[in-house]
Structure formats: C-alpha cells, structure tokens
Amino acid sequence: DLSKWNVERVATLSGTFWGASSFTSDLSKWNVERVESLYQTFSAASSFISDLSKWNVARVINLQSTFNDVSFFTSDLSKWNVARVTNLGSTFQQALSFTSDLSTWNVARVTSLAETFKQASSFTSDLASWNVARATTMSFIFFGTSIDTSTLCGRAWVESTATSKPSGIPSSPSDICVPCSTIADLGAVDYFCA
C-alpha cells in the first residue's frame, strides 16, 4: 500500500510503475504538485485504476505514455491543468476503458500528439476546440478509436501543418462545429473565431 507515501518533493515519476501489471494501490491523495514528468509512469500497469482526478499536474511538461496500456483506467482527468505539457505522445494508447472528457484541456503548447489515443477504443471525447496549432506530429492519434475526425473543424485542426494529420478533417473552419461561445470559455476567441 503506497497511499500514504510522501512524494511532495519528487520532480519526476518517470517509469515509476512501468510494467507493474498487478499494481492497484490508491494514489489519489499523493501530492504531485512539483512533478514535471509523468513519462511512462503507469505504462503497462494494466490493472491500475486509482482515482487521479484531484492530482495537481500544473507543473507537468511530459505526459508521454503515462497511461499507455493501462486497460482498466477510468479516472476523470477533465479538470487536470495540462497548460505546460508539450508531449502527449501515446499518453492514452491502448487505455481501453478510458472515457474521460478532455474537451477543455489546454493543449496549446503540445508539439507531439503522435498515437495519443491510439487503440483507446472507448474514448469518444469531443476535441474540436483543442488548439493544436503547435503540434508537429499527429501520426496515428486516433487509430483504433471511434473519433469522428469530420467533427474536428476548429481552425487549429483545419490549418494544422503537423505531419500525419488525421484524414477526414474539414478543409475550412466552421463556427457551427465549435461555437464561439464555447471557445470564449477556453480563452481562445481571437484564434478560433477571428
């Protein structure tokens, strides 16, 4: 049981539980506010199901492969502050049960979206309002999901120059898809609704 571990001075949790396929400890009360990297933290810890909804990840820069191959993970991450994150590559790859609403995540600094949701077969969140303007790669981002790429009609998706951009993205921005009122809540009115 690691639930009472004091990790408040830890700066990286990279690979901490990588491959711990039977790991099920409750980490919901961990203070991770100083952590900058969650690279592969739970990768291949296929039984991990702890609630991480209240984790303060405001300093995190790297979320690459954090929940890769975590089959039963269903924690609500909708309120995570990911504004500093630059790498979301493979973050939820093969997280088969993951369904959290990530529509309001601020991904404006993210450069890698490669395989972010690859084979996360239950994931259906509406990401049309994501500002992916800085993303340089999106290879296989939605491979094996039921995400309808035709709904990704925010200007950042449409005008993205990322390599391997998903097919099916509309060729011109549409305010009907992402109402300016919704975008205003994300603080991106000038970018999307200009």
Side-chain angles (χ1 to χ4, degrees), residues 143-165:
F143 180 83
T145 72
S146 57
I147 295 287
D148 179 4
T149 56
S150 69
T151 65
L152 301 175
C153 49
R155 182 167 286 161
W157 285 102
V158 174
E159 295 178 355
S160 170
T161 58
T163 59
S164 304
K165 190 165 92 172

Side-chain angles (χ1 to χ4, degrees), residues 5-11 30-35 59:
W5 271 25
N6 181 350
V7 295
E8 66 183 28
R9 294 188 179 190
V10 173
W30 273 22
N31 178 353
V32 296
E33 66 183 31
R34 293 190 182 178
V35 172
R59 288 191 183 183

Side-chain angles (χ1 to χ4, degrees), residues 76-124:
D76 177 12
L77 306 183
S78 61
K79 293 189 173 37
W80 271 23
N81 178 355
V82 296
R84 294 189 69 210
V85 172
T86 60
N87 192 342
L88 283 175
S90 301
T91 303
F92 302 104
Q93 182 177 341
Q94 294 182 319
L96 303 178
S97 302
F98 184 71
T99 60
S100 187
D101 178 10
L102 306 183
S103 61
T104 60
W105 269 23
N106 178 353
V107 297
R109 292 187 181 181
V110 172
T111 57
S112 177
L113 288 168
E115 301 181 353
T116 304
F117 302 104
K118 183 179 179 182
Q119 296 175 323
S121 53
S122 298
F123 184 75
T124 59

Side-chain angles (χ1 to χ4, degrees), residues 6-194:
N6 181 350
V7 295
E8 66 183 28
R9 294 188 179 190
V10 173
T12 181
L13 288 171
S14 295
T16 306
F17 303 106
W18 182 84
S21 59
S22 300
F23 180 69
T24 58
S25 194
D26 177 15
L27 306 182
S28 60
K29 292 185 170 77
W30 273 22
N31 178 353
V32 296
E33 66 183 31
R34 293 190 182 178
V35 172
E36 294 184 359
S37 179
L38 289 173
Y39 171 69
Q40 291 189 330
T41 302
F42 303 105
S43 189
S46 54
S47 299
F48 181 71
I49 57 169
S50 187
D51 177 14
L52 305 182
S53 61
K54 294 185 175 142
W55 271 23
N56 178 353
V57 296
R59 288 191 183 183
V60 172
I61 296 168
N62 190 352
L63 280 175
Q64 182 180 357
S65 301
T66 304
F67 303 105
N68 184 357
D69 197 22
V70 183
S71 304
F72 303 106
F73 183 71
T74 59
S75 188
D76 177 12
L77 306 183
S78 61
K79 293 189 173 37
W80 271 23
N81 178 355
V82 296
R84 294 189 69 210
V85 172
T86 60
N87 192 342
L88 283 175
S90 301
T91 303
F92 302 104
Q93 182 177 341
Q94 294 182 319
L96 303 178
S97 302
F98 184 71
T99 60
S100 187
D101 178 10
L102 306 183
S103 61
T104 60
W105 269 23
N106 178 353
V107 297
R109 292 187 181 181
V110 172
T111 57
S112 177
L113 288 168
E115 301 181 353
T116 304
F117 302 104
K118 183 179 179 182
Q119 296 175 323
S121 53
S122 298
F123 184 75
T124 59
S125 188
D126 179 3
L127 306 180
S129 62
W130 271 21
N131 181 348
V132 296
R134 290 193 185 168
T136 57
T137 181
M138 296 182 185
S139 59
F140 299 104
I141 181 175
F142 300 121
F143 180 83
T145 72
S146 57
I147 295 287
D148 179 4
T149 56
S150 69
T151 65
L152 301 175
C153 49
R155 182 167 286 161
W157 285 102
V158 174
E159 295 178 355
S160 170
T161 58
T163 59
S164 304
K165 190 165 92 172
S167 61
I169 293 176
S171 58
S172 63
S174 167
D175 285 346
I176 295 170
C177 173
V178 186
C180 288
S181 59
T182 301
I183 298 305
D185 293 338
L186 298 176
V189 174
D190 292 339
Y191 187 79
F192 287 96
C193 299

